[in-house]
Amino acid sequence: RPQLRFPPLRAFLPRWSPDGKQIVFFASQQGKPTRAYLVSPDGGTPHELMPNDVHAQWDPSWSPDGATLAYARLNDSGLWDIWAIPALGGKPRRVILNAAYPAWSPDGHSLAYQNMANDEIWISDISGENSHRAIPGVLGLDTQPRFSPDGSKIAFVARPGHGNPRGE
């Protein structure tokens, strides 16, 4: 089993492309924000997706067709926003403000995400429009949503008491 290693990068959050031909991962180097990289599963030199972006990037999610990556990006105010970029490179675009942990629906028409304003799971179309709460945030902090294979359900991590002003 070959292992992909890229010193001095500290790599994490690897995600296979839907066709299995690429891996996106995030990596950090001392004193620098996390960055998104693409690499072939056979190895080679990782390609930085957004080399001119000075902001930290986090938690990649492939669109079902493999054409687009959604990810969280730290903005100038210190908040996370969801951005999308063509997987082969191109101009990134901001999709959803104050949100993180994007997850594509199996049909590629929606994104589930953590609404950072209220720590609830929300869904929007892929343009960031028509947002609505998918799961009421009754447990405190609801995060890291993932659609079921048929798109009918969402699994997520619930952390009771975190972020809930009543501490319930």
Side-chain angles (χ1 to χ4, degrees), residues 64-88:
D65 65 4
T68 306
L69 284 160
Y71 62 97
R73 178 183 178 268
L74 199 61
N75 67 30
D76 291 332
S77 300
L79 302 173
W80 292 100
D81 297 327
I82 293 176
W83 287 65
I85 187 169
L88 298 178

Side-chain angles (χ1 to χ4, degrees), residues 124-138:
S124 77
D125 60 31
I126 60 171
S127 68
E129 301 294 320
N130 303 309
S131 295
H132 61 279
R133 182 172 56 190
I135 301 166
V138 296

Side-chain angles (χ1 to χ4, degrees), residues 13-165:
L13 294 173
R15 305 279 197 265
W16 287 93
S17 63
D19 64 6
K21 294 181 180 178
Q22 297 183 82
I23 298 170
V24 65
F25 67 92
F26 281 66
S28 62
Q29 295 182 56
Q30 189 164 351
K32 296 182 179 181
T34 55
R35 317 296 300 157
Y37 294 85
L38 282 177
V39 68
S40 163
D42 300 326
T45 303
H47 166 72
E48 188 173 345
L49 271 176
M50 296 150 283
N52 299 319
D53 187 354
V54 298
H55 295 86
Q57 303 150 11
W58 189 252
D59 199 37
S61 181
W62 289 95
S63 62
D65 65 4
T68 306
L69 284 160
Y71 62 97
R73 178 183 178 268
L74 199 61
N75 67 30
D76 291 332
S77 300
L79 302 173
W80 292 100
D81 297 327
I82 293 176
W83 287 65
I85 187 169
L88 298 178
K91 184 175 178 162
R93 63 180 173 84
R94 187 171 51 194
V95 180
I96 305 167
L97 298 172
N98 203 13
Y101 299 104
W104 291 87
S105 62
D107 65 9
H109 294 113
S110 302
L111 284 171
Y113 59 93
Q114 178 185 346
N115 181 322
M116 301 300 280
N118 56 23
D119 292 326
E120 296 176 335
I121 304 301
W122 283 54
I123 296 175
S124 77
D125 60 31
I126 60 171
S127 68
E129 301 294 320
N130 303 309
S131 295
H132 61 279
R133 182 172 56 190
I135 301 166
V138 296
L139 298 176
L141 170 67
D142 298 337
T143 187
Q144 302 174 25
R146 295 294 180 256
F147 281 95
S148 62
D150 68 1
S152 67
K153 297 178 181 82
I154 297 175
F156 63 99
V157 174
R159 294 190 177 121
H162 289 82
N164 186 317

